[in-house]
Amino acid sequence: MEKNVRWKHPDGAGGFTELNLPSSAEIVAYGAGTVKEELDNLSATTGVSAFMRRLLRANDATEARALLNVAREDFFDEAGNRWNSINAYLSTDAKKFGSRSMHTNGNGYLILPTPFALGGKDFAVAFWFNPTPKSATSTFFYWGNTSSSVNIQILVQLTAKNYFRFLDAHTGTKLGEYVATTAISTDWHHVELDYQQSSNTMYVFLDGVNVLSYNAATSCGTATYNTFILGAAKNGTAYTTGYIDEFFVTEKLLHTAGFTPPTAPCDLDGNTLALLHFDFDTLEYFTDDSGGYCLNLNAALSSTQKKFGSKSAYFNGTSAYLQPATGFSLGGKDCAIAFWIKSPLKSVANTCFCWSDPSANTNLLVQVTAKNFIRFLDVVAGTVLGQYVGTTAISADWHHVELDYQHSSKTMYCFFDGSKVLNYDATKSFGTAFVQVLNLGSAKNGTSPYVGYIDEFLITEKLLHTANFTPPSAPYDLDSDTLALLHFE
């Protein structure tokens, strides 16, 4: 429930009467009912678009922002971590690489709410920062304990004199500290912290120069603390002003001696724990033409490949997929699912589309196998209802996929490039309507991730085909039967 609004009304005697006015839509009266009832009734009115119906029924500000495609709240990094943004945002004003960096203006930061632990093995933390001169202590990176009663922390700061400072303090004891003696320039600077487990040594580098080495066995010898914040110290204090780019954490020792700072963005590999380029071409959500939206878990927009328009969705084969914010209901009536794929060759099976119950062996899948054969699979409670596996590898070009369910015959028809490759009795999977989780770019729970491109994703409560057809030569259009339509533009 919303907090009450305070209103001071003159009492006629030189003072005020304070009123606490409810602002919750469920309480505030409007007409014969409440604001909520009025909006719900309006959203059901004939002539109101599907998008406006979803917007009027939005449960909270997050959902409304997602539908409007504005004000990204959180950042997903390439390793699959979700960082909560507290007044931090992307900026094109300054960037080390790419087109954007993260900017904080003295009251913002990013925090990893479910962080990983470091220590007990080699690791490195690296990032670029570009400061705005400030007369108070400014923190660019903090790793430690957020409890104000426990002084356990590693941090990178600028002092009130804009001197670079590094500190490792454990239960009140300084293990290692470096404070520069001259102010840092307002330009891009590279910071790297390298822990070598074999010697229990922490190496601190500024712009490739080793400014400090010390014994970090007490703080980094084991995984002791694991809160990560960018742009502020613990509890959101000592905010920074300026820009941060290319934040990288890896379980790999990068340097123990002076080096030339990198001249290109970092790459994701098997040792990467976190990687933020801040060069997002997508938002936290993809909104579709029907008014719905999908959570974006690391998928990107690509302008290098597209079937129609100017872009397609790119899935990186690791942890990138799209998932509607709520479960998807299909079955009990005619429906069709259609999309285009462009799949670079890969040596393991990967899933383009999955509609599944995560808690049971029940799912509808479209995959590219390890031999690059197309595969359709419908399984209910472990029983295969229908399956098709191609016999030749698909080319690395655009291909059209379509699944059509005809309710009158309870038949599912599967098409690849317009040719019917399978039809089967789908009574057990689509005979009645039920809700399951839909993933685009992976199987259930983000497993078997897809590598490649997807364009023009459509779900409609309309039967499109039961026999061979010519794949569409133009983008799909929105109509009253459309449940989801993503052009990825």
Side-chain angles (χ1 to χ4, degrees), residues 96-139:
K96 180 59 186 177
F97 302 116
S99 60
R100 300 171 181 84
S101 65
M102 185 189 84
H103 179 56
T104 63
N105 60 5
N107 67 345
Y109 59 95
L110 291 185
I111 184 169
L112 197 59
T114 54
F116 42 80
L118 289 179
K121 60 174 69 175
D122 290 350
F123 70 83
V125 178
F127 59 93
W128 292 85
F129 74 95
N130 188 339
T132 300
K134 192 179 179 186
S135 58
T137 301
S138 178
T139 307

Side-chain angles (χ1 to χ4, degrees), residues 302-332:
S302 170
S303 57
T304 60
Q305 300 292 340
K306 56 268 185 182
K307 179 59 185 178
F308 301 115
S310 61
K311 299 181 182 72
S312 67
Y314 175 66
F315 301 86
N316 62 20
T318 54
S319 57
Y321 60 100
L322 302 181
Q323 185 180 89
T326 57
F328 224 90
S329 177
L330 292 174

